[in-house]
Amino acid sequence: MIARKCLGLCRHSAPSGRGKLCARTYSTSAKRHPVHPEHLCESVWSRVPKGPMDPILGVTVKFLADSAPNKLNLGVGTYRDENGHSYVLPCVREAEARLHQQDIDHEYTCIGGAERFNNLAASLAFGETSPLILNRQIATVQTLSGTGALHIGADFLKSWLPNLRYIHYSTPTWGNHIPICLGSQLEPKRYRYYDSVNIAIEEDNMLEDLNDAPSSSVIMLQVSAHNPTGIDPSRELWKKISEVCKTKKHLVFFDLAYQGFATGNTDNDAWPIRYFVEQGHLPLVSQSFAKNFGLYGQRVGALHVATANPTEAESVKSQLELIIRPQYSSPPIHGARIVSTILGDPVLKNMWKKDVRHMADQIKNIRQLFVSQLKQAGSTRDWSHITKQIGMFCYTGLKEEECRDLAELYHIYMTLDGRASIPGISKNTVGYLADSIAKVTHYQ
Ligand code: LMR
C-alpha cells in the first residue's frame, strides 16, 4: 500500500462548491485506480464546454453518422472517381510501387524536411527557371500540408514583424484561414472580393481595400481555384493587385492549395506567383499537395519564404526550423517521398500532369451535368454560375436553411454557406442531387 494525495478538485472537501484543491491523503494499492471511492474527485476538465464542430470537417462527421444509403457528402474538398469513390492518382500508385521496391528506411527527416523535396516543391510553385531559385533566395520547409504551411508562416510573421497585427483576407475565404491567423495571435481583416450578384470579383472594391490597408500589410491571396467562390482574378486584375501591393509595400502571402485545378495546367495556375516575382515581390507561399496529388491524409506541403539573397534565405530557414522543432519536431516522410519520386522523374511528372488535367476536366464535366440536371428537375433558378466558377468548389448560392433541409430531408451534406465540393457529385448521384435541390428551393 502506498500513500497518495488526491490532486483533483474534490466535492468531499469543498461542499459549498467547486474550486478547492483537496489535499487529503489516502491509501491505495499501486495496482488500483488511485482515487478513493468515497473521495471521488471532480475532474479538472469539468468546466470545459464542448466546442463547436468544424464548419468543413464537421460536415464529414455528420455525413458519417447518417445511415441513409443514398447519402452524399459535398462538404470537404476531395476528388472522387466517377463512381464517387476515393481516387488514388495513377502516378501516385506507380510512385508507391517504386518506393516499395526500394530499401527505404523510416529515419527522421530534417526539421524542415528533405532538401530534395523542398527544391522540387519550390520549382513547382515558382518555376524551375525562377531567378529566386537559381540564386537560392527561397527558404523552404516541408510542412503538414497547406494548413501547416499557413500556420508556420503566420507564426514566423508574428515572430519577426513585431508590429504586425493583421492578415488581410478575401471576403469570403477558406474557413480555416481565420482560426489559423488567430492561433498565431494575429487578427484577420477583410478585403472585398466576391460579388454574388454578378458571380464575379468586385474588382474596384478589392483594389480600393488593398490600397486603403496600412502600408506594409500582409495580404493573403489565393493563387488559383479560389476557395470557396470558384472565381479567380483575371491576369489583368492580378497585374493591378501586384501594382497596388508594390506601391503600398504590402507583403504578399500566397496560398497555393489547388495548383492545376483551375485550368488543368499547373504552370498556368502558378502564373500569379511568377508574375509577382517578376515585378519584384518577395512573397511567402504556402503549398499543399493534398488535392493535386490526392495525398489528403499524408499531410504533405511546403512553406516558401522568398528573400533578397542566399544569406537571408539561410537565416529565415533556420528561424522557420526553430518554430517547427517544438511544435512537431520534423515532418512525416512518406507523402513527401511520393511527391519527390513523381516530380523528380520526367516520366512520372508527365503522368502526374495528365492526372491533374484529367481531374480538372472531370470537374468541368460534372459542372455541366449538374446544371443540365437542375433544369431537368424543374428548377427555374439561374444556375449558370455553376459552370462559370472553376476548381473544386461551387458557391451554389443556396441559403443556410436550404442546406439544412438538404441534409435533414435528403441526406445531402455541404457547408452551410452553400459551398459544394463538385467532385463529390458523380453521374450516378447528380440526378438525385438536382431533384433534391429543386425541391428545397421550391423549384424557384
Ligand atoms: C476544404 O476546404 O474542404 C479543404 O481545404 C479541406 C479542409 O481542410 O478544409
Side-chain angles (χ1 to χ4, degrees), residues 140-431:
T140 298
V141 285
Q142 188 200 324
T143 55
L144 305 182
S145 204
T147 302
L150 291 163
H151 168 65
I152 298 299
D155 273 4
F156 176 72
L157 292 172
K158 182 67 188 170
S159 304
W160 291 100
L161 301 175
N163 296 327
L164 187 73
R165 282 189 56 197
Y166 306 109
I167 300 183
H168 296 252
Y169 297 90
S170 62
T171 312
T173 195
W174 176 46
N176 211 16
H177 274 150
I178 309 304
I180 292 170
C181 176
L182 293 169
S184 298
Q185 275 73 55
L186 290 165
E187 289 173 45
K189 276 256 188 237
R190 299 301 203 146
Y191 57 82
R192 285 168 287 176
Y193 186 83
Y194 186 61
D195 170 356
S196 58
V197 176
N198 297 309
I199 319 295
I201 295 176
E202 305 181 74
E203 298 200 359
D204 292 344
N205 291 338
M206 178 186 184
L207 293 169
E208 187 179 307
D209 288 352
L210 295 181
N211 195 44
D212 287 349
S215 297
S216 307
S217 291
V218 173
I219 311 293
M220 178 71 63
L221 295 167
Q222 294 189 39
V223 182
S224 60
H226 185 271
N227 180 359
T229 67
I231 298 287
D232 284 350
S234 63
R235 288 198 174 178
E236 284 60 43
L237 181 57
W238 276 120
K239 288 179 185 171
K240 291 180 192 162
I241 297 169
S242 162
E243 189 60 40
V244 178
C245 290
K246 206 168 155 185
T247 310
K248 296 294 307 253
K249 299 192 181 344
H250 292 331
L251 180 56
V252 171
F253 195 159
F254 281 118
D255 185 354
L256 180 64
Y258 302 96
Q259 188 175 358
F261 272 74
T263 63
N265 179 304
T266 51
D267 286 317
N268 279 346
D269 278 15
W271 180 86
I273 298 178
R274 298 168 191 187
Y275 176 78
F276 273 56
V277 169
E278 261 171 49
Q279 300 310 304
H281 293 270
L282 293 173
L284 284 82
V285 178
S286 75
Q287 184 178 25
S288 166
F289 296 97
K291 321 288 177 180
N292 54 7
F293 281 77
L295 291 172
Y296 306 95
Q298 290 293 345
R299 313 311 293 142
V300 49
L303 171 69
H304 311 280
V305 183
T307 70
N309 56 57
T311 315
E312 225 176 83
E314 248 179 71
S315 304
V316 167
K317 178 153 178 168
S318 69
Q319 293 299 336
L320 292 171
E321 288 176 339
L322 285 173
I323 293 171
I324 290 169
R325 171 67 170 146
Q327 296 198 26
Y328 55 89
S329 202
S330 59
I333 50 179
H334 187 64
R337 274 183 181 150
I338 294 173
V339 171
S340 303
T341 304
I342 294 168
L343 293 181
D345 179 289
V347 175
L348 280 185
K349 188 172 178 186
N350 215 16
M351 196 172 167
W352 170 67
K353 290 195 167 197
K354 286 188 185 141
D355 292 345
V356 173
R357 158 92 45 205
H358 167 76
M359 290 192 286
D361 287 348
Q362 279 298 105
I363 292 172
K364 277 190 203 138
N365 293 341
I366 298 168
R367 285 180 184 278
Q368 277 164 2
L369 194 58
F370 188 18
V371 176
S372 70
Q373 291 286 317
L374 280 162
K375 276 192 198 134
Q376 212 167 306
S379 177
T380 53
R381 203 177 270 196
D382 177 10
W383 296 104
S384 58
H385 54 280
I386 294 177
T387 46
K388 215 170 156 192
Q389 294 164 345
I390 52 167
M392 224 167 192
F393 299 109
C394 168
Y395 213 36
T396 59
L398 287 168
K399 298 187 193 75
E400 184 172 331
E401 56 279 16
E402 292 168 338
C403 297
R404 285 190 198 281
D405 283 351
L406 278 174
E408 275 160 32
L409 304 174
Y410 301 105
H411 314 278
I412 295 169
Y413 294 87
M414 63 176 75
T415 54
L416 294 177
D417 59 357
R419 188 196 80 166
S421 175
I422 289 287
I425 309 168
S426 73
K427 60 181 186 328
N428 300 328
T429 56
V430 67

